């Protein structure tokens, strides 16, 4: 709930966060990241104004094309071009306004920004500061960023410049435009950046303004989906493999010849003739290109060189490899005389590239990587120097194919090139003793590399690459007798990165997830198990990568059990085993799986034993001193985070118990009525809030009440308890409905609790079915008629409670027919991640219609079924059902 979201009469408009809306906006569909003005991500001039051109030609915006990300694509590309940058991002505020969520990205692979897809509004990050202060921010390089934003620099320790521009609608900041530039190029200072980005930012703001449905309206602007990648303009490639495709833009039906299906990698027997069959073959990062191609056809009548990648069927099982494809075509009337048909050609851009012939004649090796770092081209000389087949490199990461390049430092070179957009060079010693020089030339669409024979570096310690890693100081070029690996250059980087991730982890589940997502890829491990100690026994908190039921025998073992995880905890010393033989020798009879090396790390926080962390690798390895130090340091960070999270979870459980204790445990039995209630706490943060419901006997009948206090905290639950008691007292004193809400509003104002609440109060006479209803900023109730129809009741509303001490609350008269069911609910029921408020209300209404009303218990369970199964509920859910007339059920408790 949000005071700022209230309308002129205090009733939150549809789309306002927390009341009758979810930050999605019914008057402006698409502000939730699922619909919006179409704007293809091709060249900027074409991207700008596409939606307007479509409107002028009568081309409707379909749900697939009308997404907010598409509306932002054109201005984002234009901003990057204006600043002579190489990448751009648009962040929009989340529905609950606690986070900034990455909506659109161009010029930079999403994978490099995974840690920054969602950032807290209050975080010490440049995009968050630009949002909070509503001021432009310019960071010319990493030296300027480090003292102000150390967490940001630790996560992206590369040299680049960035401009952060607040995006405003109606004077309110709703997001941030970020442009990334080479530190050596681009705007020279903040004033220059603001000048060159002004036009593109204005276009971005104009498009958002048009989508709000009213001047200055911002309540519906919110985004909680994953970011969408927009391809930066690129020249068309030339290819020789071409297939023909007919695409009905109105029905989504497609027909393709055999060559087109071959380009897509689809067998004729598996092709169902729908657009979904084609989309299933396309990289998720490139789906925007297909939608943009459709819009090109609707606006200009043709599609020119839309690039996207399709899955490569030649990849080994379990591998994900892509091939580049282009779409060309033009629009014609369909054979039926109605509708629009795109007659197009699919061009396999991976084959027959003329430039490849020239590259084959060069004495040096050449290769090309896409934005994500996967190989898309290598000449014959490159394969010879690297000692592998060209086909092995295509669609895969080089450091995964070539074992002696598996030192994460080499992957880091790729990241440095892509994010600095400056050439990067380095030397590597081949296992045969020779040296190879590498030069990486980055661009917005990927990276071109050169590899050539070289002499050894001067004045440096020799470094020998082996089949499994790099060993400093061997000098003679002979590989060591055992497989080895090395910690990433600067293993401290992972410690800092883990610390950054753990600072944002709140619950034990958050901590475990952060450890799994950070530690496994950082050290190339395949398995992780986190154990906690409780009452002298070890219990599993989290596991990843283990065979099914493998860990079951270890659950609940005592601290005197002879197991390495237990010994690491009791001795407070980390244990490292570099081979299965070493582990089996130290612990005879211990069960082994497919792993070949392990680390058993004690989790000690402030001198207290918290648990153990077990990490497994699928190949034998030698743990270097740096790697042992880094893993030990990480275990300390994990222990501190787990201890903090356990205390938080314990406090949260107490708070939830307090909240549930304030709710009615049993509803009164009322002659002629059947009532039941449901309550589900939110799952984010402390997972407590201020939702409540009540059924109160009055002298004139019965009062049905539901309310929602702003916020999710112990304070919100305490205010809820006070309001519930106040409403109960005023209702029991036989005050009319209007006075009950008026007195409650005045009480909340006088409490000086700095809180606001919504409420819906219905006084019903069970003998006649007549009712008087008052609504204070709360979502309107639903009514199921005896014949099964359902409708949203149009109740006149007043301001939220606690806003205006002398506010008036109008009363609406209703009459319920026997067999009717009145549904009161809080906004958590109709606010689901990824959908707008109208969609949520429609889904609940449809469920209300199709579910028999013979049992209010069954009906209530069905209405909250979707919410109950949602793992990440941002808000509480409260539901109160009242069936008027009909047979009475045994009175249930609260569900």
């Amino acid at each position: 709930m949000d005071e700022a979201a209230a309308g002129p009469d205090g009733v939150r408009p549809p789309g306002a966060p927390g009341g009758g809306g979810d930050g999605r906006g019914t008057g402006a569909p698409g502000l939730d990241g699922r619909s919006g003005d179409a704007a293809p991500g091709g060249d900027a001039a074409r991207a700008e104004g596409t939606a307007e051109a479509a409107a002028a030609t009568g081309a409707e915006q379909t749900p697939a094309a009308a997404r907010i990300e598409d509306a932002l694509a054109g201005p984002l590309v234009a901003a990057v071009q204006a600043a002579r940058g190489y990448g751009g991002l648009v962040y929009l505020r989340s529905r609950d306004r606690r986070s900034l969520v990455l909506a659109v990205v161009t010029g930079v692979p999403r994978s490099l920004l995974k840690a920054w897809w969602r950032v807290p509004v209050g975080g010490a990050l440049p995009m968050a500061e630009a949002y909070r202060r509503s001021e432009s921010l310019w960071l010319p390089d990493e030296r300027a960023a480090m003292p102000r934003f150390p967490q940001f620099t630790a996560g992206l320790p590369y040299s680049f410049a960035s401009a952060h521009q607040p995006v405003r609608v109606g004077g309110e900041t709703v997001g941030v435009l970020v442009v990334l530039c080479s530190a050596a190029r681009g705007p020279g200072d903040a004033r220059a950046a603001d000048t060159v980005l002004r036009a593109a930012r204005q276009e971005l703001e104009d498009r958002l303004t048009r989508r709000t449905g009213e001047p200055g309206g911002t309540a519906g602007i919110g985004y909680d989906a994953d970011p969408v990648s927009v391809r930066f303009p690129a020249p068309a490639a030339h290819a020789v493999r071409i297939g023909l495709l007919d695409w009905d833009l109105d029905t989504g039906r497609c027909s393709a010849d055999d060559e087109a299906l071959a380009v897509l990698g689809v067998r004729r027997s598996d092709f169902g003739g729908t657009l979904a069959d084609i989309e299933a073959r396309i990289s998720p990062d490139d789906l925007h290109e297909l939608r943009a191609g459709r819009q090109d056809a609707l606006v200009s009548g043709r599609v020119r060189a839309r690039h996207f990648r399709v899955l490569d069927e030649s990849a080994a099982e379990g591998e994900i490899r892509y091939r580049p494809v282009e779409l060309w075509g033009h629009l014609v009337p369909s054979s039926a005389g109605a509708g629009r048909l795109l007659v197009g050609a699919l061009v396999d851009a991976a084959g027959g590239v003329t430039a490849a012939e020239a590259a084959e004649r060069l004495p040096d090796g050449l290769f090309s990587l896409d934005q994500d770092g996967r190989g898309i081209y290598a000449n014959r000389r490159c394969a010879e120097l690297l000692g592998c087949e060209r086909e092995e490199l295509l669609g895969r990461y080089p450091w995964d194919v070539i074992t002696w390049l598996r030192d994460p430092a080499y992957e880091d070179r790729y990241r440095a090139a892509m994010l600095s957009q400056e050439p990067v060079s380095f030397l590597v010693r081949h296992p045969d003793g020779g040296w190879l020089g590498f030069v990486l030339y980055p661009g917005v669409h990927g990276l071109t590399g050169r590899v050539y024979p070289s002499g050894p570096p001067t004045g440096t310690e020799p470094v020998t690459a082996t089949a499994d890693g790099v060993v400093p100081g061997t000098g003679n070029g002979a590989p060591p007798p055992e497989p080895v690996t090395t910690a990433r250059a600067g293993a401290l980087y992972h410690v800092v990165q883990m610390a950054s991730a753990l600072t944002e982890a709140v619950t034990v589940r958050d901590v475990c997830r952060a450890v799994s997502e950070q530690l496994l890829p950082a050290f190339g491990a395949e398995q992780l198990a986190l154990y906690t100690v409780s009452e002298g026994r070890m219990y599993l908190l989290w596991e990843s990568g283990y065979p099914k039921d493998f860990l079951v025998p270890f659950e609940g073992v005592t601290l005197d059990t002879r197991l390495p995880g237990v010994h690491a905890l009791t001795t407070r010393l980390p244990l490292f085993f570099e081979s299965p033989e070493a582990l089996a020798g130290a612990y005879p009879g211990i069960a082994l799986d497919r792993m070949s090396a392990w680390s058993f790390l004690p989790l000690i926080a402030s001198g207290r034993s918290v648990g153990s962390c077990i990490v497994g690798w699928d190949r034998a390895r030698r743990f270097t001193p740096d790697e042992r130090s880094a893993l030990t340091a990480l275990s300390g960070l994990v222990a501190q985070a787990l201890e903090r999270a356990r205390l938080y979870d314990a406090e949260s459980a107490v708070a939830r118990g307090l909240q549930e204790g304030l709710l009615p445990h049993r509803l009164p039995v009322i002659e002629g009525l059947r009532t039941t209630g449901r309550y589900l706490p939110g799952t984010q943060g402390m997972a407590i809030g201020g939702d409540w419901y009540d059924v109160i006997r009055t002298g004139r009948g019965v009062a049905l009440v539901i309310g929602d206090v702003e916020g999710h905290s112990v304070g919100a639950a305490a205010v809820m308890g006070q309001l519930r008691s106040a409403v109960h007292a005023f209702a029991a004193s036989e005050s009319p409905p209007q006075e009950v809400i008026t007195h409650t509003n005045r009480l909340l104002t006088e409490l000086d609790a700095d809180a606001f609440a919504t409420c819906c109060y219905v006084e019903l006479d069970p003998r006649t079915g007549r009712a008087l209803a008052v609504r204070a900023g709360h979502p309107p109730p639903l009514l199921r008629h005896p014949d099964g129809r359902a409708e949203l009741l149009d109740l006149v509303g007043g301001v939220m409670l606690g806003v205006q001490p002398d506010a008036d609350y109008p009363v609406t008269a209703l009459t319920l027919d026997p067999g009717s069911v009145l549904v009161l609910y809080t906004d958590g029921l109709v606010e689901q991640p990824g959908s707008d408020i109208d969609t949520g209300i429609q889904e609940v209404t449809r469920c209300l219609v199709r579910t028999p009303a013979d049992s209010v218990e069954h009906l209530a369970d069905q209405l909250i079924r979707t919410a109950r199964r949602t793992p990440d509920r941002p808000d509480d859910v409260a539901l109160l059902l009242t069936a008027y007339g009909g047979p009475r059920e045994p009175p249930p408790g609260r569900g």
Side-chain angles (χ1 to χ4, degrees), residues 236-240 348-361 377:
H238 298 282
V240 295
D348 187 353
V353 180
T354 305
E357 298 180 3
E360 293 298 329
R361 295 188 286 267
Y377 171 75

Side-chain angles (χ1 to χ4, degrees), residues 554 561-564 567 577 580-592:
F554 305 105
T561 307
R562 184 170 174 76
L563 289 171
H567 283 177
F577 297 94
E581 293 77 17
L583 178 59
Y587 296 89
I590 190 172
L592 299 176

Side-chain angles (χ1 to χ4, degrees), residues 124 136 189 239 257 328 356 376 428 436 524 527 554 572 598 661 814 886:
S136 299
D189 53 31
D257 66 6
W328 298 71
I376 56 177
V428 179
L436 294 178
Q527 285 184 352
F554 305 105
R572 300 194 173 194
W598 298 264
L814 306 170

Side-chain angles (χ1 to χ4, degrees), residues 43 50 103 247 318 444 508 525 593 613 632-633 692 701 747 751 769 826 848 876:
D43 75 81
T50 300
W247 175 8
V444 295
V508 169
D593 60 359
C613 173
T632 304
W692 91 92
L747 173 65
L751 284 176
T826 56
L848 189 60
D876 300 355

Side-chain angles (χ1 to χ4, degrees), residues 705-718:
V705 190
I706 197 159
D708 183 0
V709 177
E710 176 193 36
H712 298 82
S713 63
V714 176

Side-chain angles (χ1 to χ4, degrees), residues 34 133 135 164 230 277 292 299 378 419 530 709 728 795 815 877:
R34 301 189 309 118
R133 296 187 176 184
E135 296 177 355
H164 304 258
V230 175
D277 296 319
V299 174
L419 285 172
L530 289 170
V709 177
H728 203 289
L795 303 184
T815 300
V877 176

Side-chain angles (χ1 to χ4, degrees), residues 829-850:
L829 180 68
V830 292
E831 289 182 342
Q832 300 297 332
S835 64
D836 57 49
I837 183 74
D838 279 350
T839 300
I841 291 177
Q842 291 169 6
E843 289 178 356
V844 172
T845 304
R846 284 194 293 268
C847 181
L848 189 60
V849 170
R850 67 173 178 263

